[in-house]
Amino acid sequence: MSSMRILTQLSAALVLAGTLLGVSAAPALADPDGARAVSVRTDPDGARAVSVRTDPVYSSGDCEINRAVDGPVAGGSQCAGADLSGEKLAQSAFQGANLSGATLARADVQDSNFEGANLTGADFSATRIVSANLTGAGILPATLDVTADSADGAPVTFTPTLPTGLTMTGCTIAGEPVESGAVFPLGMSGVVCSFASSRPNETATALVQISVTTPATTAPPVPVFTQAPVTQGAGRTGLPPETLTVLLIGGGGVLVLGIIALVVRGARSSRADRGRGRH
């Protein structure tokens, strides 16, 4: 009876081991619809296989769009002129995508990343864009370099190039509103600008890094005092003019002091003589 139990347990263990080996050896699995492969990776402990979906959120012709968790497709999504109206594209990876002339009207692109995308001529009419990232997507430059005329800073103007259906609702620094044309100090400043479609209370944002510098000067510093060099003529001897000036001024001072001493001495002698005459 015990031998039968041991054989049963051993058979079950062998079947389980074979199943695990078969799963771990499988390089890929198929989606239920058979349209796209699903990659398979092994957990760090090597005990079980985990499937990772790689199918895009949208695919039509050359236009393929990945989910944000999978990152953008290689080279960016090529969706110029594509009709994406009404599509559910939330949390998509549009980094570096070519969406020029594309229609995203009434589409849902909330929480999507459009960094570095080309949105020239795109249509965002009534598009759900809440929390989308439009940094460097051609609406505003990702970086603005401004040269200041003084250490007080320089005015900076925000002039957006807006796709159809979008408006700029304002810009802020650390939550405080900042108007276009405001003076920015020297150095780097980060500005967040917001954009809205016709959907109420929903905005996308773009970050603009503003760098304000002053022109670099290459002119040597001008000394406060300048002394002209003394040129000695050929065969000329004697003291330099500066030394003569000092001596003349010093000599004149000594002469004046000597005259004063003689006057004082004469006055003292006169008083002494008058004093002896009274005795």
Side-chain angles (χ1 to χ4, degrees), residues 2 25 83 104 142 151 158 199 222 225:
S2 60
D83 184 3
L104 295 100
F158 308 110
R199 294 178 64 93
V222 179
F225 300 101

Side-chain angles (χ1 to χ4, degrees), residues 73-151:
V73 300
S77 300
Q78 300 304 310
C79 301
D83 184 3
L84 302 172
S85 57
E87 293 290 340
K88 304 299 183 183
L89 304 172
Q91 300 179 352
S92 292
F94 289 103
Q95 296 99 311
N98 183 4
L99 294 167
S100 59
T103 301
L104 295 100
R106 302 177 307 283
D108 182 357
V109 296
Q110 62 172 320
D111 295 317
S112 294
N113 193 340
F114 290 87
E115 285 188 84
N118 180 1
L119 302 180
T120 304
D123 186 356
F124 283 84
S125 299
T127 304
R128 189 176 189 188
I129 60 172
V130 59
S131 300
N133 182 0
L134 300 176
T135 300
I139 300 176
L140 284 173
T143 303
L144 271 175
D145 296 318
V146 183
T147 302
D149 295 330
S150 69

